[in-house]
C-alpha cells in the first residue's frame, strides 16, 4: 500500500473509532478535525494542526483516547505512537456536530487560546493552571489570593490587582484563575485579554461601526482578566472605554483581575479615577523567586518536559539564573537542546559547558534590547531597520525571530513591549518566534550555535 494512502486510511479509520467514543466531547472532536496526517515514520504517525492550542489539546487532553484508537486500528494490536506538530498555514474548518457547529479559528502567529465556553471565547491557555504554578515565598500571597478569586469570584477581592516585573508569573496566575473558575462554574463567561488586544479589538469595532457590539461582548463577562494594563498609557479613548467597562462589571458584581508591571500609584498616563478604582480592591506584588523556589521551578519544568536532571544540577542552574522564571525556562531549553544535538546525557560537565559564561547570583549588568538588535543585525549582515521592517525574506525573518527570542530570554521586557521594538508587531508574533527558535535549537545545530554565540557575545560585554 502506498505510504500516503496508508497514512490517510489510518487516520480516517482512527477518527471513525473516536467518533463513537462517548468520552470524546464535541469540543474535542472539533480539535481532532483540525489535525491532518502527514506520514508514518518508524511506526510514529505524524499529525499537523494549525495552532499550539490544538497541539496542546491533542498532546494532553486527548492523547490517551487517540492511542487507544490507534491500537484498535492496527492489525498486530501493537500501540502505534503519534506526534503532533504545528503548521499555521493549515486553514480552519467548520466541524458539523449537529445543532451547534464548532468553529476553531487560528489566532495570529500561533497564539495559545482556549476554545469557547457556551460559544463564548475565553482566550485562556489551558497549560497555565494552579497545579503547574510553582509556589514560593515570593508569590505565595498572590497565589492564595488568585485561588480565592477563582473559587469565589467577586466575593472578596474585587478588583484583584497583581503587579511585579515581567517574567515572574503574573500572566500564569491570570490564566490559572480563569481555568479554575471554569472548572468550578462551567456556565461562567470568562475572558482573558491583554491590554494590547483590548485596544485592537476596540479600534476594529470603531472602524466597523460595531462599538455597541464591543461593549456588549465585554460587559456580559463574569470574569474579566486583563494583562499588562500599563500599555493603555496614553490611549485616552481606550482608557475611557475600559473605565466604563470596569464600572459596569463592578456594579453588576462581576470579577475583574488586572496585571501590571508597576503598582497603581506608579501608573503614568492614567486618570486618577482609574487608578483609584484599581486601588479599591486587593493589590499584591510578585517578586523574583528565591533559590529554593527557582530549584522547584526547574524541577517542575523538567518533569513537564520529561527531562531527567540530578538535584545538584538543578541547584547549580538556579544559583546562576536568578532574575525571573522566564530566564530559568530559557536556560533549561538551552541545556536540553545542547544535549539533544550532541546526543549525550545531561550531566554536570555538560551544564557547566553551556553555562560557562554565568557567574553565581547573576551579577551581570542589564542587557538592553538595543544591544541585542545591533548584535543580531551585525551577525546576519543586516541593519536594525531590517529587523523591525516588514520583509519576509527567509534570511531576514530568521534573524528577526532570533533577535526576538534573545530579547525574550535575556531581558525582562513583556511580549507587547518586544513587539513594539520590532516594528509594532503583535505580541503573538513574538510568542510564535520565541517558540519556533526554542524548538529549532533542539534539532538544528546551526540555529543553536547562532543563538548561543550571539548570547555569549552580548553578555561578555557586561563582564
Amino acid at each position: 500500500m502506498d505510504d500516503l494512502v496508508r497514512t490517510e486510511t489510518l487516520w480516517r479509520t482512527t477518527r471513525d473509532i473516536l467518533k463513537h467514543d462517548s468520552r470524546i466531547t464535541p469540543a474535542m472532536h472539533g480539535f481532532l478535525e483540525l489535525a491532518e496526517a502527514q506520514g508514518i515514520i518508524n511506526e510514529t504517525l505524524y499529525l499537523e494542526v494549525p495552532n499550539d492550542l490544538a497541539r496542546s489539546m491533542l498532546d494532553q487532553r486527548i492523547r490517551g483516547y487517540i492511542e487507544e484508537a490507534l491500537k484498535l486500528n492496527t492489525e498486530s494490536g501493537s500501540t502505534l505512537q503519534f506526534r503532533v506538530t504545528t503548521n499555521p498555514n493549515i486553514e480552519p474548518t467548520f466541524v458539523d456536530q449537529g445543532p451547534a457547529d464548532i468553529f476553531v479559528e487560528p489566532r495570529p502567529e500561533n497564539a495559545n487560546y482556549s476554545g469557547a465556553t457556551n460559544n463564548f471565547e475565553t482566550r485562556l491557555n489551558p497549560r497555565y493552571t494552579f497545579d503547574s504554578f510553582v509556589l514560593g515565598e515570593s508569590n505565595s500571597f498572590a497565589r492564595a489570593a488568585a485561588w480565592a478569586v477563582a473559587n469565589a469570584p467577586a466575593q472578596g477581592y474585587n478588583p484583584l490587582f497583581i503587579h511585579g516585573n515581567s517574567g515572574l508569573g503574573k500572566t500564569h496566575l491570570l490564566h490559572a484563575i480563569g481555568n479554575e473558575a471554569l472548572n468550578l462554574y462551567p456556565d461562567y463567561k470568562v475572558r482573558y485579554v491583554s491590554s494590547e488586544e483590548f485596544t485592537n479589538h476596540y479600534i476594529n469595532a470603531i472602524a466597523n461601526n460595531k462599538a455597541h457590539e464591543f461593549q456588549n461582548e465585554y460587559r456580559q463577562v463574569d470574569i474579566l482578566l486583563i494583562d499588562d494594563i500599563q500599555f493603555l498609557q496614553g490611549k485616552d479613548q481606550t482608557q475611557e472605554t475600559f473605565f466604563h467597562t470596569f464600572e459596569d462589571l463592578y456594579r453588576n458584581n462581576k470579577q475583574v483581575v488586572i496585571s501590571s508591571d508597576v503598582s497603581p500609584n506608579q501608573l503614568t498616563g492614567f486618570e486618577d479615577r482609574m487608578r483609584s478604582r484599581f486601588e479599591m480592591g486587593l493589590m499584591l506584588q510578585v517578586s523574583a523567586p528565591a533559590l529554593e523556589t527557582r530549584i522547584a521551578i526547574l524541577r517542575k519544568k523538567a518533569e513537564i518536559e520529561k527531562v531527567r536532571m540530578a538535584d545538584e544540577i538543578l541547584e547549580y542552574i538556579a544559583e546562576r539564573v536568578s532574575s525571573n522564571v522566564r530566564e530559568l525556562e530559557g536556560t533549561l531549553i538551552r541545556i536540553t537542546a545542547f544535549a539533544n544535538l550532541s546526543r549525550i546525557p545531561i550531566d554536570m560537565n555538560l551544564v557547566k559547558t553551556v553555562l560557562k559564561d554565568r557567574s553565581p547570583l547573576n551579577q551581570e549588568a542589564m542587557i538592553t534590547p538595543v544591544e541585542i538588535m545591533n548584535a543580531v543585525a551585525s551577525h546576519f549582515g543586516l541593519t536594525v531597520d531590517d529587523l523591525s521592517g516588514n520583509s519576509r525574506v527567509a534570511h531576514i525573518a530568521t534573524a528577526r525571530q532570533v533577535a526576538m527570542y534573545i530579547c525574550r530570554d535575556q531581558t525582562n521586557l513583556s511580549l507587547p513591549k518586544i513587539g513594539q521594538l520590532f516594528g509594532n508587531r503583535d505580541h503573538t508574533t513574538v510568542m510564535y518566534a520565541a517558540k519556533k527558535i526554542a524548538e529549532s535549537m533542539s534539532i538544528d545545530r546551526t540555529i543553536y550555535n547562532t543563538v548561543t554565540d550571539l548570547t555569549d557575545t552580548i553578555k561578555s560585554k557586561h563582564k
Side-chain angles (χ1 to χ4, degrees), residues 257-416:
V257 183
I258 302 163
S259 84
S260 171
D261 282 356
V262 296
S263 61
N265 60 10
Q266 292 179 313
L267 284 171
T268 58
F270 285 77
E271 292 185 10
D272 290 341
R273 62 173 182 169
M274 185 172 290
R275 286 198 296 266
S276 68
R277 295 301 191 277
F278 297 159
E279 293 174 344
M280 68 186 185
L282 176 65
M283 296 179 296
L284 46 85
Q285 182 178 10
V286 290
S287 54
L291 175 62
E292 293 79 8
T293 305
R294 298 198 299 274
I295 294 172
I297 290 170
L298 286 169
R299 183 177 290 115
K300 171 71 78 171
K301 184 68 175 177
E303 289 175 358
I304 293 174
E305 300 297 331
K306 295 181 173 57
V307 177
R308 289 188 176 183
M309 286 190 181
D311 287 344
E312 62 175 355
I313 292 178
L314 297 176
E315 184 173 346
Y316 182 88
I317 298 170
E319 287 176 343
R320 284 153 177 77
V321 183
S322 60
S323 60
N324 60 51
V325 178
R326 185 184 305 143
E327 190 177 1
L328 279 172
E329 294 179 343
T331 302
L332 190 62
I333 289 173
R334 186 175 172 184
I335 291 170
T336 55
F338 185 89
N340 289 337
L341 289 171
S342 304
R343 299 182 183 276
I344 56 178
I346 298 175
D347 57 19
M348 185 61 78
N349 288 333
L350 181 147
V351 172
K352 287 182 177 180
T353 299
V354 175
L355 299 183
K356 61 183 182 298
D357 59 318
R358 300 303 296 260
S359 58
L361 303 181
N362 195 28
Q363 295 172 340
E364 300 100 342
M366 184 67 69
I367 294 173
T368 68
V370 173
E371 291 177 282
I372 294 171
M373 295 176 77
N374 284 331
V376 172
S378 176
H379 177 88
F380 283 88
L382 304 171
T383 66
V384 172
D385 287 341
D386 290 329
L387 298 181
S388 57
N390 295 321
S391 175
R392 295 191 176 184
V393 174
H395 180 65
I396 297 177
T398 297
R400 184 182 299 125
Q401 290 174 339
V402 166
M404 288 180 176
Y405 172 87
I406 298 176
C407 281
R408 180 70 169 159
D409 184 46
Q410 295 295 323
T411 74
N412 288 332
L413 295 177
S414 64
L415 291 171

Side-chain angles (χ1 to χ4, degrees), residues 158-159 193 195 198-199 202 214-215 218-219 224 226 229 232-233 235-252 254 256 258 267 269-280:
N158 195 22
V193 64
S195 61
F198 184 87
T199 300
Y202 175 66
F214 172 87
Q215 293 177 352
Y218 278 92
R219 296 182 186 183
L224 177 63
I226 183 158
I229 195 69
L232 289 187
Q233 175 184 354
K235 300 172 182 175
D236 295 341
Q237 195 171 359
T238 306
Q239 280 190 34
E240 182 74 14
T241 299
F242 177 75
F243 176 80
H244 291 296
T245 299
F246 177 96
E247 290 283 275
D248 186 84
L249 293 174
Y250 184 82
R251 187 169 52 250
N252 288 285
K254 306 298 184 181
V256 180
I258 302 163
L267 284 171
F270 285 77
E271 292 185 10
D272 290 341
R273 62 173 182 169
M274 185 172 290
R275 286 198 296 266
S276 68
R277 295 301 191 277
F278 297 159
E279 293 174 344
M280 68 186 185

